[in-house]
């Protein structure tokens, strides 16, 4: 299931709607999980992914997203999970 996130921006009195597709908002298989990590490694920015995608990866790995205040540590633990499973 792919999630969709809508945001709105007003520029020069013009309202625009931005649509973000969250490919990894519901990770249910190891294949999806590893694909998320692969896409994360090749992303231009950590902001290319939404909170719900990080949370979904954590849920799949049995980690609590809210235990992390540093994304480096979170990704490191997600990579360790992938290596061990």
């Amino acid at each position: 299931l792919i999630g969709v996130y809508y945001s709105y921006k007003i520029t020069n009195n013009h309202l625009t709607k931005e649509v973000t597709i969250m490919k990894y908002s519901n990770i249910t298989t190891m294949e999806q999980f590893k694909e998320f990590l692969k896409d994360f490694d090749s992303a231009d920015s950590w902001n290319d992914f939404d909170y719900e995608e990080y949370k979904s990866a954590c849920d799949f790995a049995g980690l609590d997203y809210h235990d992390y205040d540093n994304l480096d540590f979170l990704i490191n633990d997600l990579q360790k999970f992938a290596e061990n499973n």
Side-chain angles (χ1 to χ4, degrees):
L1 182 62
I2 295 176
V4 179
Y5 174 75
Y6 299 99
S7 61
Y8 298 88
K9 185 189 321 182
I10 298 175
T11 307
N12 298 329
N13 292 325
H14 181 69
L15 179 66
T16 58
K17 179 179 178 180
E18 296 179 355
V19 179
T20 303
I21 304 296
M22 293 181 292
K23 185 176 178 183
Y24 302 106
S25 62
N26 188 26
I27 297 173
T28 59
T29 67
M30 183 58 77
E31 181 181 349
Q32 288 174 317
F33 181 79
K34 289 184 177 183
E35 187 177 325
F36 165 78
L37 291 176
K38 179 182 172 193
D39 286 353
F40 178 85
D41 285 339
S42 63
D44 292 331
S45 168
W46 291 349
N47 292 330
D48 290 351
F49 297 92
D50 188 75
Y51 153 81
E52 289 188 25
E53 293 174 293
Y54 289 114
K55 185 164 181 340
S56 178
C58 286
D59 290 346
F60 183 80
L63 303 173
D64 186 346
Y65 174 84
H66 299 289
D67 286 345
Y68 295 88
D69 59 2
N70 184 315
L71 196 53
D72 286 323
F73 295 139
L74 170 64
I75 294 301
N76 188 42
D77 285 353
L78 292 174
Q79 290 170 335
K80 284 180 187 175
F81 175 81
E83 291 169 4
N84 294 324
N85 291 287

